[in-house]
Amino acid sequence: MRFISTRGESPAVSFSTAVEEGLAPDGGLYLPESLPDIRPHLDDWEKLPYPELCAQFISLFATDIDIEQLRIMTVGAYSDFDDPRIAPLRRLDRKTHLLELFHGPTLAFKDFALQLLGKLYANQIQRTGRTISVLGATSGDTGAAAIHGLLGCAGVHTFILYPDGRVSPLQERQMACTGAVEVFPLAIEGSFDDAQTALKEVFSDTEFAKEVGLSAVNSINLARILAQCVYYLYAWFQLSESERRDCIFVVPTGNFGNVLAGWLVRKMGLPVSGFRVATNQNDILHRLFQTGAYEVGAVTPSLAPSMDIQIASNFERFLYYQLEGNGREVRKVMQKLRISGRHQFTTLATHGFTSSSADDRDIPKLIKNVFDQFGVVIDPHTACAFKDRGDTHEVILATAHPAKFPETILKVLGSEPTHPILEVLKERPIVKHSVKPTPDAIKAFMRHALC
Ligand SMILES: *Cc1c(COP(=O)(O)O)cnc(C)c1O
């Protein structure tokens, strides 16, 4: 299988190259040249344990990697999860399931993708003998998940920029208390945007990039999307025949990555009715599905910070299918969005999407309601999914463990949820490095750390 760019101006590449490059050379995002039909596999896949299901699904795409190799990677990737089912599906009532995606090492769904990405990187390094320096910027969860996905991966140094004092204390601990010598949390004076700007400049210095073997971890890597497809399948297999036919998945959404993965599985033939895109008060995607207008606004910080996003980077992949694979049209729309921040879709075929939006007044109420009704504590991101529920059977994706957001839960429910992993972190020393958000300061730090 080959992978093409959404913008149509890069050569088709192998799976390994698409994973290694992340972003295509023409600035587009990689997608499979054509989507496989998974219907013939569904019977065989139904009873598989999670890592084996993942290996078999990924093998449809990673045709340049031996399936035995993939098996070793997927078993390794999901060995640090604290539930043997990896993605347990919990029934709340007759028409509601909760898909728990927070059993990985950093207690959020991003572990599903980044644990596997770490194994894919390790495999690549073993094959090529080239060591790499991963550089990323984070406002919280992604940085922690990336650091833990790459932990212990020989030949990788990880540098994660984050705005000092603007990530939650627990998120900082997840990055800065690993004790690993090849991990460098860089606390910068400034905002997330300052970090992002400096990072882009470091990447544009091609000589430096070569010198240190620079590589990005970001939300647009194709491997992340494919890894996320697997839990939709796994959840669907656990439903009854009648639930399978008319269920929808409800997905707390920021960058559109998670829900895109589910939508792609549906395009590959999984018979589910649709998806509800659940946003917080940063509701660009909700407005899109209500009005057809994609309009970038200002980000307002919310109680569900990992969804505080106004430019959904994975949206370009959806756009590609909307525009029937016309790379030129994708380039035009993306260009227009960059300049004017707005695009009106005249024929937005919604393809099974509905949407909802929960603001900061809703979130505490939703957490309280769910606790009163089901006796279950949910985190502020998952809470957004409980807004505007319909009558169909819903599988609600629980994207983070509530113990990651103790302040909000304490206020609403009067007690603080805990998790043993986080309790251990609180005992450990924080090791972080203060760096100015300039490309020169970052490069100097990296050179020094690598020698
Ligand atoms: C990243 C994140 C989201 C949003 O996921 P996207 O793929 O960006 O849509 C939702 N909830 C939590 C807890 C997250 O960390």
Side-chain angles (χ1 to χ4, degrees):
M1 159 117 31
R2 314 282 293 169
F3 297 85
I4 50 159
S5 164
T6 48
R7 301 194 186 178
E9 289 196 315
S10 300
V13 297
S14 69
F15 176 80
S16 296
T17 305
V19 171
E20 191 172 339
E21 286 182 2
L23 196 69
D26 63 2
L29 310 188
Y30 281 115
L31 278 171
E33 204 161 40
S34 65
L35 292 177
D37 182 357
I38 58 172
R39 283 171 297 183
H41 301 287
L42 293 179
D43 284 346
D44 293 341
W45 286 354
E46 173 155 10
K47 294 264 164 2
L48 295 181
Y50 196 94
E52 179 61 21
L53 176 63
C54 184
Q56 295 206 19
F57 177 78
I58 300 285
S59 76
L60 301 180
F61 304 89
T63 48
D64 58 343
I65 303 177
D66 191 61
I67 177 100
E68 281 309 323
Q69 282 288 318
L70 279 176
R71 285 199 170 105
I72 294 168
M73 287 187 236
T74 59
V75 167
Y78 300 109
S79 62
D80 267 353
F81 281 54
D82 70 7
D83 188 297
R85 295 162 294 179
I86 314 299
L89 186 70
R90 182 205 276 235
R91 180 184 286 283
L92 296 186
D93 69 8
R94 196 178 42 77
K95 62 171 194 117
T96 318
H97 278 95
L98 200 62
L99 180 60
E100 296 182 356
L101 301 177
F102 50 69
H103 291 279
T106 71
L107 313 182
F109 87 93
K110 292 188 175 74
D111 288 327
F112 278 85
L114 286 161
Q115 287 291 315
L116 184 63
L117 196 64
K119 303 298 173 205
L120 286 163
Y121 276 5
N123 183 265
Q124 206 101 318
I125 290 164
Q126 221 171 25
R127 246 175 352 111
T128 62
R130 290 196 301 265
T131 60
I132 59 171
S133 302
V134 168
L135 176 63
T138 186
S139 53
D141 279 344
T142 306
I147 284 173
H148 286 262
L150 295 165
L151 218 51
C153 184
V156 179
H157 289 80
T158 309
F159 302 84
I160 299 290
L161 303 167
Y162 67 95
D164 200 9
R166 299 202 203 172
V167 301
S168 86
L170 281 175
Q171 283 175 330
E172 179 170 59
R173 286 194 167 274
Q174 288 186 313
M175 294 190 276
C177 299
T178 61
V181 292
E182 72 285 0
V183 171
F184 302 92
L186 306 183
I188 60 128
E189 310 152 19
S191 68
F192 174 66
D193 288 337
D194 296 332
Q196 196 73 357
T197 307
L199 176 116
K200 278 195 192 129
E201 283 181 55
V202 175
F203 271 93
S204 67
D205 181 344
T206 47
E207 221 161 280
F208 177 76
K210 219 191 232 153
E211 177 193 328
V212 301
L214 206 58
S215 174
V217 276
N218 42 34
S219 60
I220 47 92
N221 199 296
L222 176 79
R224 286 183 65 173
I225 303 293
L226 294 179
Q228 289 171 186
C229 290
V230 179
Y231 47 72
Y232 287 93
L233 279 165
Y234 189 75
W236 186 81
F237 286 133
Q238 293 169 69
L239 299 172
S240 71
E241 287 289 333
S242 66
E243 288 165 349
R244 283 179 184 183
R245 264 197 309 277
D246 62 8
C247 77
I248 66 163
F249 285 95
V250 187
V251 189
T253 304
N255 255 316
F256 207 66
N258 198 358
V259 68
L260 178 87
W263 184 72
L264 287 176
V265 181
R266 182 168 177 259
K267 265 182 103 62
M268 295 173 208
L270 190 74
V272 297
S273 303
F275 301 87
R276 178 152 57 81
V277 171
T279 72
N280 63 18
Q281 61 203 22
N282 295 296
D283 61 349
I284 180 169
L285 293 167
H286 175 52
R287 285 182 282 119
L288 169 73
F289 288 114
Q290 298 304 307
T291 66
Y294 189 87
E295 195 165 15
V296 180
V299 174
T300 52
S302 81
L303 295 172
S306 298
M307 290 156 43
D308 288 344
I309 283 162
Q310 281 287 6
I311 302 172
S313 48
N314 268 295
F315 181 69
E316 183 167 341
R317 289 191 162 107
F318 176 63
L319 191 63
Y320 173 86
Y321 291 105
Q322 267 294 309
L323 301 172
E324 286 159 6
N326 186 333
R328 246 196 61 190
E329 287 299 311
V330 174
R331 286 203 301 282
K332 270 207 311 232
V333 174
M334 292 311 292
Q335 169 100 3
K336 190 169 163 220
L337 279 173
R338 199 169 48 244
I339 294 165
S340 71
R342 188 175 197 285
H343 181 75
Q344 177 75 44
F345 290 90
T346 41
T347 54
L348 183 75
T350 50
H351 293 291
F353 285 114
T354 58
S355 67
S356 62
S357 159
D359 65 20
D360 272 10
R361 279 166 309 171
D362 295 321
I363 289 174
K365 286 186 214 152
L366 293 164
I367 292 173
K368 177 91 171 51
N369 285 351
V370 169
F371 183 72
D372 290 345
Q373 204 178 343
F374 306 115
V376 173
V377 181
I378 53 168
D379 95 286
H381 301 80
T382 307
C384 296
F386 282 86
K387 182 85 191 287
D388 292 345
R389 298 201 52 203
D391 285 330
T392 27
H393 195 99
E394 291 186 335
V395 176
I396 292 175
L397 273 58
T399 51
H401 193 283
K404 285 192 89 166
F405 305 93
E407 302 85 1
T408 303
I409 309 290
L410 177 64
K411 254 190 221 148
V412 179
L413 299 180
S415 67
E416 241 183 56
T418 59
H419 191 287
I421 288 182
L422 299 175
E423 294 310 304
V424 171
L425 284 182
K426 288 178 193 165
E427 304 297 312
R428 294 214 195 138
I430 292 182
V431 181
K432 61 177 179 176
H433 310 274
S434 295
V435 176
K436 286 207 162 49
T438 66
D440 286 341
I442 295 165
K443 284 189 260 185
F445 182 91
M446 290 177 71
R447 281 204 179 98
H448 183 73
L450 291 168
C451 70

